[in-house]
Amino acid sequence: MKQKFKNFLNEKLKLKIIISSSIVGFLFLFSFLMVVPGLGIESKKFINSIEKQIKIIMPKGMYVIDGQDVVYEQVMNTAIKSAYTSDALSTINYYEDSNYAVKKEDYINFSNEWFEKRWGDDIRNQRDVDLYELGMDLIKFDQAVATKFLSYGYVHAGIQWMFKNGGLKEIFSSQFYEQAKRDQTIINQETYDSWMKYEGPGLNGIKVEKSLGTMIVNNKVWFLNRQIENIKFGLNILGHSIFKNKELNENNMSKTKVTFDELSYPFFTETLKVLRTGIIIFFIFLGIVLPIYTAFLTIWIINLKKGNK
């Protein structure tokens, strides 16, 4: 009878261990899954939608700049180079940023360094340049600009951002929340475009003078449409086409306009709320749940061993 009672208690303890371990494991997994994606998953969906548009606008092998063309070097060092500077500068809010002049210089320097590293050797060796490759590189460039000048959290996993120096402070910052809210906002595209002051396209490319900044969907629609205009310009530079395929013209262009509904909407603020909640649960788990569970588990295991004697 006594042995049966011991066996009953042992089975009860085992059941407690199994149930409590399952609950604790679920809580950890739940918080972990909330923390891991972060804003990076929204950016990834947005980037994928941009990549899709680039593949339509400038399909691989279609718009190839002739490395032997008489204006090749000039076009690369002005029009193509300006794709990077205009992309970067268009993300600064000229109308509200008091540090615009300082930021502008930093953004231009970063853009020029990136361009030289990626295309400098190609230009010196007069290699053909496929605009598809340019488009893919501009996506990488966008991510680098976001990481350096906007926020590490935009293009990295939540768990990476969380453990980065200053990451937690930024995640729970009300200022960053407002920034994310603005960045995800979409306004009428014509209104956005009307606030953009720029020159080009032309032999000097596109030069941004004033920008409304990173309402990122509107901003990328503006930028992609400027690249379409650049392609049109490239079809007739000083009376000839810069592209190897001389049969290309505006009538056989793959796409002539991008609209904001063709890009993925980034749910930054909602994702940020999920990330914040996940982090709170994660630290409650580490600071409260796990120590209490460990203490009880230790006691249960000791009692289980005693019961088996």
Side-chain angles (χ1 to χ4, degrees):
M1 185 71 180
K2 188 177 181 181
Q3 186 60 42
K4 285 184 178 180
F5 184 67
K6 279 186 177 182
N7 291 338
F8 172 76
L9 289 178
N10 287 345
E11 291 301 319
K12 194 173 180 180
L13 279 174
K14 288 177 182 178
L15 186 61
K16 281 184 179 179
I17 292 172
I18 292 170
I19 292 173
S20 61
S21 296
S22 298
I23 293 172
V24 170
F26 173 78
L27 187 62
F28 171 76
L29 182 62
F30 181 67
S31 64
F32 185 75
L33 291 175
M34 292 178 77
V35 167
V36 169
L39 272 62
I41 192 170
E42 290 300 310
S43 294
K44 179 62 177 173
K45 289 189 291 185
F46 180 65
I47 289 167
N48 287 344
S49 69
I50 295 174
E51 184 175 332
K52 180 180 178 181
Q53 291 304 312
I54 287 175
K55 288 178 178 178
I56 298 172
I57 294 167
M58 46 190 84
K60 190 171 185 178
M62 185 170 183
Y63 296 106
V64 179
I65 298 175
D66 189 348
Q68 302 306 310
D69 193 277
V70 291
V71 294
Y72 168 81
E73 189 172 343
Q74 182 180 2
V75 167
M76 289 299 297
N77 285 315
T78 55
I80 301 302
K81 189 175 184 178
S82 76
Y84 291 87
T85 52
S86 63
D87 187 15
L89 292 178
S90 69
T91 63
I92 309 175
N93 185 351
Y94 170 89
Y95 302 95
E96 295 180 13
D97 201 318
S98 57
N99 295 318
Y100 181 82
V102 175
K103 282 188 175 181
K104 180 178 181 180
E105 185 176 355
D106 289 341
Y107 278 48
I108 289 174
N109 289 338
F110 183 77
S111 303
N112 290 342
E113 288 171 8
W114 184 285
F115 177 81
E116 172 58 30
K117 184 177 180 181
R118 175 60 184 87
W119 300 107
D121 190 55
D122 288 327
I123 295 170
R124 285 185 287 274
N125 290 283
Q126 293 186 286
R127 297 192 187 110
D128 296 344
V129 173
D130 191 336
L131 290 191
Y132 171 85
E133 299 299 333
L134 170 69
M136 293 300 107
D137 191 59
L138 281 168
I139 290 176
K140 295 177 184 177
F141 175 71
D142 271 340
Q143 292 173 289
V145 168
T147 300
K148 184 173 178 64
F149 297 109
L150 298 177
S151 171
Y152 179 90
Y154 274 132
V155 288
H156 291 85
I159 197 163
Q160 291 175 291
W161 188 17
M162 171 183 166
F163 289 109
K164 182 177 171 58
N165 185 32
L168 281 175
K169 183 179 179 181
E170 187 177 35
I171 289 168
F172 287 95
S173 163
S174 59
Q175 183 179 352
F176 180 79
Y177 181 88
E178 290 304 315
Q179 176 188 322
K181 186 177 180 180
R182 186 187 191 280
D183 289 344
Q184 73 181 17
T185 298
I186 300 176
I187 63 173
N188 178 273
Q189 191 62 44
E190 290 183 3
T191 302
Y192 183 90
D193 291 352
S194 70
W195 286 80
M196 300 294 295
K197 307 301 178 186
Y198 60 95
E199 295 178 1
L203 275 177
N204 292 323
I206 294 174
K207 292 187 176 181
V208 175
E209 297 173 1
K210 299 178 182 179
S211 170
L212 200 53
T214 51
M215 293 173 180
I216 66 171
V217 176
N218 291 119
N219 177 257
K220 287 308 162 206
V221 169
W222 174 85
F223 180 73
L224 289 171
N225 284 330
R226 297 296 73 73
Q227 301 319 301
I228 290 173
E229 294 304 312
N230 262 338
I231 291 173
K232 290 179 181 178
F233 178 75
L235 292 169
N236 186 18
I237 297 178
L238 301 177
H240 79 290
S241 173
I242 187 68
F243 302 113
K244 297 198 76 163
N245 183 356
K246 305 306 178 184
E247 300 300 317
L248 294 172
N249 56 63
E250 289 190 29
N251 293 326
N252 56 31
M253 290 182 70
S254 304
K255 195 177 183 72
T256 57
K257 187 177 182 180
V258 177
T259 57
F260 67 78
D261 58 321
E262 293 177 294
L263 299 183
S264 175
Y265 178 78
F267 293 93
F268 286 146
T269 54
E270 293 305 311
T271 306
L272 185 60
K273 289 175 185 176
V274 171
L275 176 61
R276 287 174 170 181
T277 303
I279 289 173
I280 291 169
I281 295 173
F282 181 75
F283 281 113
I284 289 174
F285 172 81
L286 289 181
I288 299 175
V289 176
L290 189 60
I292 292 173
Y293 167 72
T294 303
F296 274 101
L297 184 62
T298 303
I299 294 170
W300 290 336
I301 291 174
I302 291 171
N303 289 337
L304 193 60
K305 286 182 178 179
K306 286 181 180 179
N308 289 327
K309 288 182 178 179

